[in-house]
Amino acid sequence: LYRYYNGEMVSLDGTAGGGGSDDDESDDETQSESSSSSDEEPTSDALLHKESPKPRKKLPPLLLPLSSLPTPKLDWLGTSFGLTPALHAFWSRRAGMTLLYLRQTSNELTGEHSAIMIRALPKRSGWDDAWLPAFGADARRRIGRLLGGAFRGMEVKLAVSLLGDAAVDSNDRKRIRDPNALREVQRRSGSESSRLAPDELRCHLTSHDLQRLELYGRNLCDHHLINDLVPALANLYFTGRMTGWGNDNGEFRLSSVQSALLCGMGLQRKGVDELVAELSLPVNQVLAMFNKAVKKMSMAFHNLLVEEESKDLVPGGKGGEDGLKKAEANVRRIRDVVGQTLEEEETEGAAVAMDALEKRQQASGEQKPKAKNSGVTGTRLPAEINDPEIMKYALKGTDEDWAKALEEKDDDAAAGGTIQVKSTKAKTPKKRKAEKSSEGVMEDVLKNEKNMMSSSKKKGKKVNSKTKKSRKST
């Protein structure tokens, strides 16, 4: 029927059905009129019961090839039926028709929604069929909004087939050659720009929302944390706004199961338990597939924002001179950041300290001792250091003590991860007592004088007693 009404039926004599001009059609009409007048037919006034049956001459054939019949000019072919998954698959895939209408209330007897599908005939009408994809995109958008209401009880597989694949809009754009018709399709479908822009993304998802999606994609949070973001993700995907952020061909596609989960949870607002029962899949597999879908979309959003930032930073990009100034400001801000690791900084600081110490020793006239071998390949002991501030952090023990301790540790494998070396502390003289203050000195002087006076008195008493004894003896 489509080929016939579209003027694609070709006759055996090389003439296409309906391909003649209006003059040919008028000639055919006159010939048919003359042939009908030649036949002996009753007039219009004659009644059926007055007609006399007799053989007629030049009767028209009962069956004729379609190529020999003039094709009527039609704009489209259509069908109407109760929507079921099998019928929708037949009329959409086999017959190539587009869904334009779906009744919101179901039939009381069958429980089906009445659907109308149309296929355009551009060859006969002489008009490009760009109007049909525009109406089809509008119908898919309206059905997607109603999946959470009137069509919530619909099977998720049927709902996904009604919304169509994400690449349907891109295929329609490739098929339409007229630029004016293409712009009309984009205007009607609400997708005048072919790719998702960062400003449009920010209207649906904030920076905090994108961070939550990233956390869920890395399995750092539960799916309940992003349930409020799933409708926005489903809307972006099923309206074809993710085109251009997929593989090298610019196609962003999810698997059939991932699309069904995104449609069921985002558009129909169904729970995980409902989808598990409807898809006949285990819970862990459903959650794993949903996680992969969200992670893939999160990575696409990340690439979109990274591309925008790179354009702002590169001179001559989106930001232009402003982007260059912004890049210079960032460079000045990180200019004071240390570019060395901690170990490199420590090594450089140690070398500077040793140089300063050597210069101080040279200035004081001290002879720099020679460094001796430590016994380990590639290392040498530093020269003797006389600075007490540095020497208090020096390790105790000689190379022989450390080598002996290491050998004992190798012999005793059960020992812990520590090594003990006997300390060889040199005996240091006791510190002098701090000098006493002036008051203490005066007290000591007074005590000494008192002691001297008392000792002199005792001596005087002894002398007097001796003299008395001598006198008595005499």
Side-chain angles (χ1 to χ4, degrees), residues 149-419:
F151 303 137
R152 189 181 184 280
M154 185 182 297
E155 296 182 9
V156 65
K157 296 180 181 179
L158 180 59
V160 173
S161 63
L162 291 180
L163 295 177
D165 190 61
V168 170
D169 294 339
S170 61
N171 293 336
D172 292 339
R173 296 189 187 101
K174 294 177 182 178
R175 187 176 60 186
I176 300 171
R177 300 178 181 178
D178 188 2
N180 296 327
L182 180 59
R183 284 194 296 269
E184 184 65 20
V185 171
Q186 294 174 348
R187 186 184 67 82
R188 283 181 174 270
S189 61
S191 58
E192 297 184 6
S193 60
S194 59
R195 298 183 68 185
L196 179 66
D199 295 336
E200 183 182 357
L201 176 62
R202 294 188 183 97
C203 294
H204 296 276
L205 301 171
T206 63
S207 58
H208 300 288
D209 298 337
L210 295 175
Q211 186 177 7
R212 280 192 288 160
L213 291 177
E214 183 180 359
L215 291 176
Y216 178 70
R218 295 165 58 186
N219 294 321
L220 297 178
C221 64
D222 192 52
H223 71 277
H224 296 93
L225 189 64
I226 62 164
N227 277 344
D228 59 315
L229 306 178
V230 181
L233 299 180
N235 186 29
L236 290 173
Y237 176 73
F238 287 105
T239 53
R241 303 305 299 139
M242 298 299 298
T243 304
W245 297 106
N247 51 21
D248 297 337
N249 298 329
E251 296 181 0
F252 184 91
R253 292 199 179 192
L254 300 176
S255 64
S256 57
V257 178
Q258 293 173 352
S259 301
L261 293 175
L262 194 63
C263 176
M265 298 180 66
L267 299 180
Q268 292 185 299
R269 310 298 176 89
K270 294 182 179 180
V272 178
D273 297 335
E274 297 180 58
L275 294 175
V276 166
E278 193 169 344
L279 298 176
S280 301
L281 294 174
V283 180
N284 55 354
Q285 185 176 355
V286 168
L287 293 177
M289 297 299 291
F290 179 69
N291 180 271
K292 290 182 180 179
V294 173
K295 183 178 181 180
K296 189 173 182 180
M297 298 189 73
S298 176
M299 293 177 63
F301 297 149
H302 176 74
N303 296 334
L304 170 63
L305 297 178
V306 167
E307 182 177 345
E308 182 195 19
E309 292 296 331
S310 62
K311 288 181 180 179
D312 291 340
L313 294 177
V314 176
K318 181 181 177 182
E321 295 182 357
D322 295 338
L324 181 59
K325 293 179 180 179
K326 185 177 179 181
E328 293 177 352
N330 292 334
V331 171
R332 287 194 298 270
R333 185 173 21 180
I334 64 175
R335 182 174 297 172
D336 297 332
V337 178
V338 179
Q340 295 176 329
T341 62
L342 182 60
E343 295 180 356
E344 294 175 350
E345 188 177 0
E346 289 178 352
T347 304
E348 183 178 355
V352 172
M354 292 299 297
D355 293 340
L357 181 61
E358 290 176 0
K359 291 180 181 179
R360 186 166 49 183
Q361 290 177 351
Q362 292 176 2
S364 61
E366 297 179 1
Q367 185 178 2
K368 179 180 177 183
K370 296 182 180 181
K372 57 182 178 179
N373 191 0
S374 63
V376 183
T377 305
T379 61
R380 293 184 66 81
L381 288 175
E384 295 296 336
I385 301 174
N386 297 326
D387 192 350
E389 294 296 329
I390 297 179
M391 289 303 298
K392 66 181 181 181
Y393 299 106
L395 296 177
K396 307 301 180 181
T398 61
D399 285 353
E400 292 77 7
D401 297 337
W402 284 101
K404 184 178 180 181
L406 291 174
E407 291 177 359
E408 293 177 355
K409 184 178 183 298
D410 294 337
D411 296 337
D412 189 5
T418 59
I419 299 175

Side-chain angles (χ1 to χ4, degrees), residues 47-112:
L47 298 176
L48 184 60
H49 64 276
K50 294 182 180 180
E51 182 181 1
S52 58
K54 57 182 179 180
R56 296 180 182 180
K57 299 178 181 179
K58 298 180 181 180
L59 291 175
L62 296 177
L63 298 176
L64 292 174
L66 292 177
S67 59
S68 63
L69 295 179
T71 305
K73 291 185 177 181
L74 301 178
D75 293 329
W76 48 267
L77 293 175
T79 180
S80 178
F81 56 92
L83 184 64
T84 60
L87 288 177
H88 180 263
F90 171 78
W91 288 110
S92 61
R93 298 176 185 175
R94 298 290 297 276
M97 293 191 172
T98 303
L99 179 67
L100 294 186
Y101 173 78
L102 185 62
R103 187 179 179 182
Q104 298 185 25
T105 57
S106 59
N107 191 291
E108 296 180 357
L109 298 178
T110 62
E112 300 171 350

